[in-house]
Amino acid sequence: MAENQVFDITIVGGGPTGLFGAFYAGMREMSTKIIDSLEELGGQLITLYPEKYIYDMPGFPRVLAKDLVRGMAEQGLQYGATVVLGQKVTTLERREDGIWILGTEPGETHRSRTVLITAGAGGFTPRKLPLRGTERFEGRGIHYFVRDLQRFADRRVLIVGGGDSAVDWALNLHPLAEHVTLIHRRDGFRAHESSVQELMRSCVEVKLFWELADVRGDTHVQEATIFENRTQERQDLQVDEIILSLGFHADLGPIKTWGLEMKGNAIVVNSRMETNLPGVFVAGDVATYDGKLKLIATGVGEATIAANHAKVFLDPASRAFPGHSSEMVR
């Protein structure tokens, strides 16, 4: 592929939203490039949650994140999109002839007539507890996400947190682990109601208003002390693995310097997923508008809208509505 080739659309972000954007761009016969800073496609799903079940994708009662990514990559790349991995897009500038120049951290440049940003929440780092000494157990019993469920088989697991991920890990691990305890500092969960109800019916030991006070062990976690934050009662637990599911700090990094209209840590778009920059579209968690829901199902719909309106931007004589895929001749 010629280094200075100008693509019809370049997608910044190779997660599920970006992959579905590539699929629709291919259906509209647009030359497509995907650029991602990670070394593999799939975004947070493959990096943080490959073994986590996704329940709200059409056609799947439940599907492992890694399996969803595999299928979406096959679907998204079937029209021959060019994929560039391990490059972080740092600059976005428009030439006088309307071509967008994307500069990446290795010092390479990419050229495109339109751009679709599907960068999710941007760069992310796990939130950590302010407990002295816990850093030495990271990778030796303390985990911030689960990449391999079997690692926890027949282990005594302590999960700290009350969000979707904490609840999901508890539900996924308790059939494998010797014992699972979940502690949460209050009695309200930030998780789907049905998942919380399933958790309460399961054999997971759920302890509300409890927090982590200390972690001990030699070369690996062996024991944890937890405390009840209302009474200050303390309890020692024999544990082998601790999952700190406390969320992540997200940062869009260089994207915030590209001249895009921002609202918080997101990019403002209209109903066509257009930004304030001509030919630059946004979809997925990084996009914001009134009524926005940060869901994969929402993101793929936004990617569909963005890709088809990018086609109109390139060819005003074309229609935004592509027709039904069942009626298209391959």
PDB file of all heavy atoms in Angstrom, residues 47 68 77 80 112 116 138 140 158 167 172 191 206 224 228 251 259 277 280 320:
ATOM      1  N   THR A  47      -8.824  -5.997  25.594  1.00  0.00           N
ATOM      2  CA  THR A  47      -7.728  -5.656  26.495  1.00  0.00           C
ATOM      3  C   THR A  47      -8.082  -5.898  27.949  1.00  0.00           C
ATOM      4  O   THR A  47      -7.273  -6.413  28.724  1.00  0.00           O
ATOM      5  CB  THR A  47      -7.325  -4.181  26.321  1.00  0.00           C
ATOM      6  OG1 THR A  47      -7.013  -3.940  24.943  1.00  0.00           O
ATOM      7  CG2 THR A  47      -6.122  -3.833  27.169  1.00  0.00           C
ATOM      8  N   LEU A  68     -17.174 -11.929  20.565  1.00  0.00           N
ATOM      9  CA  LEU A  68     -17.835 -10.822  19.874  1.00  0.00           C
ATOM     10  C   LEU A  68     -16.832 -10.060  19.022  1.00  0.00           C
ATOM     11  O   LEU A  68     -17.111  -9.729  17.866  1.00  0.00           O
ATOM     12  CB  LEU A  68     -18.484  -9.890  20.887  1.00  0.00           C
ATOM     13  CG  LEU A  68     -19.177  -8.650  20.310  1.00  0.00           C
ATOM     14  CD1 LEU A  68     -20.324  -9.041  19.397  1.00  0.00           C
ATOM     15  CD2 LEU A  68     -19.675  -7.737  21.438  1.00  0.00           C
ATOM     16  N   LEU A  77     -13.753  -6.340   8.489  1.00  0.00           N
ATOM     17  CA  LEU A  77     -12.597  -6.319   7.592  1.00  0.00           C
ATOM     18  C   LEU A  77     -12.853  -7.027   6.270  1.00  0.00           C
ATOM     19  O   LEU A  77     -11.946  -7.130   5.439  1.00  0.00           O
ATOM     20  CB  LEU A  77     -11.384  -6.953   8.291  1.00  0.00           C
ATOM     21  CG  LEU A  77     -10.971  -6.321   9.626  1.00  0.00           C
ATOM     22  CD1 LEU A  77      -9.744  -7.032  10.178  1.00  0.00           C
ATOM     23  CD2 LEU A  77     -10.712  -4.831   9.474  1.00  0.00           C
ATOM     24  N   GLY A  80     -11.765  -5.423   2.944  1.00  0.00           N
ATOM     25  CA  GLY A  80     -10.367  -5.128   2.676  1.00  0.00           C
ATOM     26  C   GLY A  80      -9.820  -3.882   3.334  1.00  0.00           C
ATOM     27  O   GLY A  80      -8.883  -3.267   2.807  1.00  0.00           O
ATOM     28  N   SER A 112      -6.467  11.202   4.697  1.00  0.00           N
ATOM     29  CA  SER A 112      -7.842  10.738   4.573  1.00  0.00           C
ATOM     30  C   SER A 112      -8.770  11.888   4.207  1.00  0.00           C
ATOM     31  O   SER A 112      -8.549  13.033   4.619  1.00  0.00           O
ATOM     32  CB  SER A 112      -8.293  10.120   5.904  1.00  0.00           C
ATOM     33  OG  SER A 112      -9.506   9.431   5.771  1.00  0.00           O
ATOM     34  N   LEU A 116     -13.341   9.181  11.125  1.00  0.00           N
ATOM     35  CA  LEU A 116     -14.326   8.727  12.103  1.00  0.00           C
ATOM     36  C   LEU A 116     -13.578   8.376  13.389  1.00  0.00           C
ATOM     37  O   LEU A 116     -12.757   7.456  13.401  1.00  0.00           O
ATOM     38  CB  LEU A 116     -15.101   7.513  11.581  1.00  0.00           C
ATOM     39  CG  LEU A 116     -16.023   6.808  12.585  1.00  0.00           C
ATOM     40  CD1 LEU A 116     -17.030   7.774  13.181  1.00  0.00           C
ATOM     41  CD2 LEU A 116     -16.724   5.624  11.919  1.00  0.00           C
ATOM     42  N   GLU A 138       0.669  -6.496  42.983  1.00  0.00           N
ATOM     43  CA  GLU A 138       0.091  -6.397  41.641  1.00  0.00           C
ATOM     44  C   GLU A 138       0.746  -7.440  40.743  1.00  0.00           C
ATOM     45  O   GLU A 138       1.969  -7.493  40.611  1.00  0.00           O
ATOM     46  CB  GLU A 138       0.289  -4.992  41.081  1.00  0.00           C
ATOM     47  CG  GLU A 138      -0.526  -3.932  41.828  1.00  0.00           C
ATOM     48  CD  GLU A 138      -0.298  -2.535  41.290  1.00  0.00           C
ATOM     49  OE1 GLU A 138       0.491  -2.381  40.343  1.00  0.00           O
ATOM     50  OE2 GLU A 138      -0.915  -1.585  41.830  1.00  0.00           O
ATOM     51  N   ARG A 140       0.671 -10.480  41.492  1.00  0.00           N
ATOM     52  CA  ARG A 140       0.938 -11.592  42.408  1.00  0.00           C
ATOM     53  C   ARG A 140      -0.232 -11.750  43.385  1.00  0.00           C
ATOM     54  O   ARG A 140      -0.051 -11.875  44.583  1.00  0.00           O
ATOM     55  CB  ARG A 140       2.246 -11.362  43.164  1.00  0.00           C
ATOM     56  CG  ARG A 140       3.474 -11.412  42.265  1.00  0.00           C
ATOM     57  CD  ARG A 140       4.750 -11.318  43.064  1.00  0.00           C
ATOM     58  NE  ARG A 140       4.926  -9.984  43.640  1.00  0.00           N
ATOM     59  CZ  ARG A 140       5.959  -9.658  44.432  1.00  0.00           C
ATOM     60  NH1 ARG A 140       6.860 -10.575  44.740  1.00  0.00           N
ATOM     61  NH2 ARG A 140       6.063  -8.436  44.898  1.00  0.00           N
ATOM     62  N   LEU A 158     -11.423 -12.664  46.418  1.00  0.00           N
ATOM     63  CA  LEU A 158     -12.076 -11.498  46.998  1.00  0.00           C
ATOM     64  C   LEU A 158     -12.229 -10.445  45.914  1.00  0.00           C
ATOM     65  O   LEU A 158     -11.247 -10.082  45.259  1.00  0.00           O
ATOM     66  CB  LEU A 158     -11.251 -10.929  48.157  1.00  0.00           C
ATOM     67  CG  LEU A 158     -11.722  -9.585  48.739  1.00  0.00           C
ATOM     68  CD1 LEU A 158     -13.110  -9.716  49.368  1.00  0.00           C
ATOM     69  CD2 LEU A 158     -10.714  -9.041  49.754  1.00  0.00           C
ATOM     70  N   VAL A 167     -19.780  -7.114  39.693  1.00  0.00           N
ATOM     71  CA  VAL A 167     -20.886  -8.072  39.747  1.00  0.00           C
ATOM     72  C   VAL A 167     -20.693  -9.170  38.703  1.00  0.00           C
ATOM     73  O   VAL A 167     -20.874 -10.366  38.991  1.00  0.00           O
ATOM     74  CB  VAL A 167     -22.225  -7.346  39.539  1.00  0.00           C
ATOM     75  CG1 VAL A 167     -23.373  -8.343  39.423  1.00  0.00           C
ATOM     76  CG2 VAL A 167     -22.485  -6.374  40.687  1.00  0.00           C
ATOM     77  N   ASN A 172     -19.333 -14.754  37.060  1.00  0.00           N
ATOM     78  CA  ASN A 172     -18.569 -15.624  36.161  1.00  0.00           C
ATOM     79  C   ASN A 172     -17.614 -16.542  36.905  1.00  0.00           C
ATOM     80  O   ASN A 172     -17.330 -17.652  36.441  1.00  0.00           O
ATOM     81  CB  ASN A 172     -17.772 -14.770  35.163  1.00  0.00           C
ATOM     82  CG  ASN A 172     -18.647 -14.116  34.118  1.00  0.00           C
ATOM     83  OD1 ASN A 172     -19.731 -14.602  33.808  1.00  0.00           O
ATOM     84  ND2 ASN A 172     -18.207 -12.992  33.584  1.00  0.00           N
ATOM     85  N   ALA A 191     -24.909  -1.383  38.744  1.00  0.00           N
ATOM     86  CA  ALA A 191     -24.938  -2.532  37.841  1.00  0.00           C
ATOM     87  C   ALA A 191     -26.376  -2.779  37.404  1.00  0.00           C
ATOM     88  O   ALA A 191     -27.328  -2.270  38.012  1.00  0.00           O
ATOM     89  CB  ALA A 191     -24.362  -3.763  38.534  1.00  0.00           C
ATOM     90  N   VAL A 206     -21.764 -11.965  49.682  1.00  0.00           N
ATOM     91  CA  VAL A 206     -21.830 -10.521  49.452  1.00  0.00           C
ATOM     92  C   VAL A 206     -21.849  -9.807  50.796  1.00  0.00           C
ATOM     93  O   VAL A 206     -22.718 -10.076  51.641  1.00  0.00           O
ATOM     94  CB  VAL A 206     -23.076 -10.144  48.625  1.00  0.00           C
ATOM     95  CG1 VAL A 206     -23.134  -8.636  48.410  1.00  0.00           C
ATOM     96  CG2 VAL A 206     -23.074 -10.875  47.294  1.00  0.00           C
ATOM     97  N   ALA A 224      -6.324 -11.101  53.652  1.00  0.00           N
ATOM     98  CA  ALA A 224      -6.807  -9.723  53.568  1.00  0.00           C
ATOM     99  C   ALA A 224      -7.589  -9.393  54.818  1.00  0.00           C
ATOM    100  O   ALA A 224      -8.261 -10.254  55.399  1.00  0.00           O
ATOM    101  CB  ALA A 224      -7.682  -9.538  52.335  1.00  0.00           C
ATOM    102  N   GLU A 228     -15.991  -3.175  58.425  1.00  0.00           N
ATOM    103  CA  GLU A 228     -17.348  -2.662  58.239  1.00  0.00           C
ATOM    104  C   GLU A 228     -17.302  -1.170  58.519  1.00  0.00           C
ATOM    105  O   GLU A 228     -16.937  -0.741  59.616  1.00  0.00           O
ATOM    106  CB  GLU A 228     -18.292  -3.375  59.218  1.00  0.00           C
ATOM    107  CG  GLU A 228     -19.695  -3.604  58.688  1.00  0.00           C
ATOM    108  CD  GLU A 228     -20.631  -2.442  58.856  1.00  0.00           C
ATOM    109  OE1 GLU A 228     -20.168  -1.345  59.228  1.00  0.00           O
ATOM    110  OE2 GLU A 228     -21.839  -2.619  58.598  1.00  0.00           O
ATOM    111  N   ASP A 251      -8.805   9.265  29.745  1.00  0.00           N
ATOM    112  CA  ASP A 251      -8.246  10.530  29.259  1.00  0.00           C
ATOM    113  C   ASP A 251      -8.135  10.463  27.740  1.00  0.00           C
ATOM    114  O   ASP A 251      -7.524   9.533  27.200  1.00  0.00           O
ATOM    115  CB  ASP A 251      -6.865  10.768  29.876  1.00  0.00           C
ATOM    116  CG  ASP A 251      -6.295  12.137  29.515  1.00  0.00           C
ATOM    117  OD1 ASP A 251      -7.011  12.932  28.890  1.00  0.00           O
ATOM    118  OD2 ASP A 251      -5.121  12.386  29.858  1.00  0.00           O
ATOM    119  N   GLY A 259      -9.015  20.762  18.183  1.00  0.00           N
ATOM    120  CA  GLY A 259      -9.972  21.797  17.802  1.00  0.00           C
ATOM    121  C   GLY A 259     -11.401  21.334  17.765  1.00  0.00           C
ATOM    122  O   GLY A 259     -12.274  22.038  17.231  1.00  0.00           O
ATOM    123  N   LEU A 277     -15.771  20.060  12.991  1.00  0.00           N
ATOM    124  CA  LEU A 277     -14.760  20.042  11.938  1.00  0.00           C
ATOM    125  C   LEU A 277     -15.323  19.338  10.708  1.00  0.00           C
ATOM    126  O   LEU A 277     -15.874  18.238  10.824  1.00  0.00           O
ATOM    127  CB  LEU A 277     -13.491  19.319  12.417  1.00  0.00           C
ATOM    128  CG  LEU A 277     -12.807  19.890  13.660  1.00  0.00           C
ATOM    129  CD1 LEU A 277     -11.556  19.081  13.996  1.00  0.00           C
ATOM    130  CD2 LEU A 277     -12.460  21.364  13.456  1.00  0.00           C
ATOM    131  N   VAL A 280     -15.198  15.317   9.798  1.00  0.00           N
ATOM    132  CA  VAL A 280     -14.782  14.546  10.980  1.00  0.00           C
ATOM    133  C   VAL A 280     -16.031  14.116  11.745  1.00  0.00           C
ATOM    134  O   VAL A 280     -16.839  14.954  12.157  1.00  0.00           O
ATOM    135  CB  VAL A 280     -13.852  15.366  11.891  1.00  0.00           C
ATOM    136  CG1 VAL A 280     -13.487  14.551  13.140  1.00  0.00           C
ATOM    137  CG2 VAL A 280     -12.598  15.768  11.135  1.00  0.00           C
ATOM    138  N   ALA A 320     -27.763   9.122   1.996  1.00  0.00           N
ATOM    139  CA  ALA A 320     -27.296   8.665   3.300  1.00  0.00           C
ATOM    140  C   ALA A 320     -27.841   7.278   3.612  1.00  0.00           C
ATOM    141  O   ALA A 320     -27.137   6.436   4.170  1.00  0.00           O
ATOM    142  CB  ALA A 320     -27.713   9.649   4.392  1.00  0.00           C
TER     143      ALA A 320
END
